[in-house]
Amino acid sequence: MIILGVDPSLSNTGYGILESVESKLKPIEGGVIKTRSSDPLSQRLSIISQEFDKIIEKFLPDHIAVEDLHSRPKFAKTSILMGHARGVILSSAGIKNIQVFDYQPTQAKNIVTGSGRADKKQVMLSVSKILNNQNLLKNEHVADAFSIAICHSIINNSKTKII
């Protein structure tokens, strides 16, 4: 099974392609779709949409696992902007008829680190160890996306082993 994990953001949308092979997890590719804050919202969303479509077409994921919206009143605007990016991602998945699964960041953190309150560095370290890939220590958005993909794999396949 190919899982596309996504950490949606208007500026830095992280993605991680994970393959579940014989009950083991194998990272295929990770990256970040970047937009400039100086560009109009419509252009930024278009960039995310186009780049996300290319990723879907290249890797043909079976499932897409996306970080769910989380908000605090203090950061309401951030949540709204994240919602725009998330909407583009969900739309692309819907057009391609790929099932989408939503996970809270605390749920993914708990699965990969053992604590729903883990910080970015802990998530990056745990994901790099789980997937045996030191490159995942280089970008928090990619590590977050892989943590969402790992979360999905474990929740939806009790036979998956972390090695």
Side-chain angles (χ1 to χ4, degrees):
M1 175 184 296
I2 304 292
I3 302 164
L4 170 51
V6 185
D7 175 31
S9 166
L10 194 54
S11 298
N12 296 287
T13 293
Y15 68 91
I17 311 292
L18 187 64
E19 185 175 18
S20 180
V21 180
E22 297 179 12
S23 302
K24 294 181 183 172
L25 302 177
K26 178 183 170 190
I28 304 299
E29 180 178 296
V32 179
I33 301 169
K34 296 183 179 195
T35 67
R36 292 189 304 242
S37 59
S38 59
D39 289 339
L41 178 61
S42 59
Q43 185 176 358
R44 296 174 81 183
L45 294 174
S46 176
I47 290 166
I48 294 169
S49 177
Q50 289 172 27
E51 293 301 313
F52 196 72
D53 285 346
K54 288 177 189 175
I55 293 164
I56 289 174
E57 289 170 17
K58 181 177 179 180
F59 295 101
L60 303 171
D62 299 298
H63 293 165
I64 297 177
V66 183
E67 184 177 296
D68 206 354
L69 282 178
H70 53 282
S71 66
R72 295 180 210 144
K74 184 177 178 181
F75 302 107
K77 185 176 181 181
T78 302
S79 296
I80 291 168
L81 293 175
M82 179 185 171
H84 288 308
R86 208 170 168 282
V88 167
I89 290 161
L90 296 177
S91 177
S92 290
I95 290 167
K96 302 284 188 194
N97 202 30
I98 302 170
Q99 194 169 4
V100 176
F101 298 84
D102 302 304
Y103 297 98
Q104 288 293 322
T106 53
Q107 185 178 21
K109 287 178 183 182
N110 191 46
I111 285 176
V112 300
T113 71
S115 171
R117 294 184 158 189
D119 63 24
K120 295 282 185 189
K121 287 183 181 181
Q122 289 172 306
V123 171
M124 291 166 67
L125 183 60
S126 293
V127 168
S128 71
K129 284 183 179 180
I130 290 167
L131 299 178
N132 194 26
N133 187 325
Q134 293 297 310
N135 287 329
L136 299 175
L137 288 169
K138 296 178 181 177
N139 187 290
E140 66 186 60
H141 306 290
V142 174
D144 284 348
F146 272 114
S147 75
I148 295 292
I150 292 166
C151 176
H152 175 71
S153 177
I154 289 172
I155 286 173
N156 287 282
N157 182 3
S158 61
K159 295 180 183 177
T160 299
K161 297 176 187 171
I162 296 176
I163 55 171

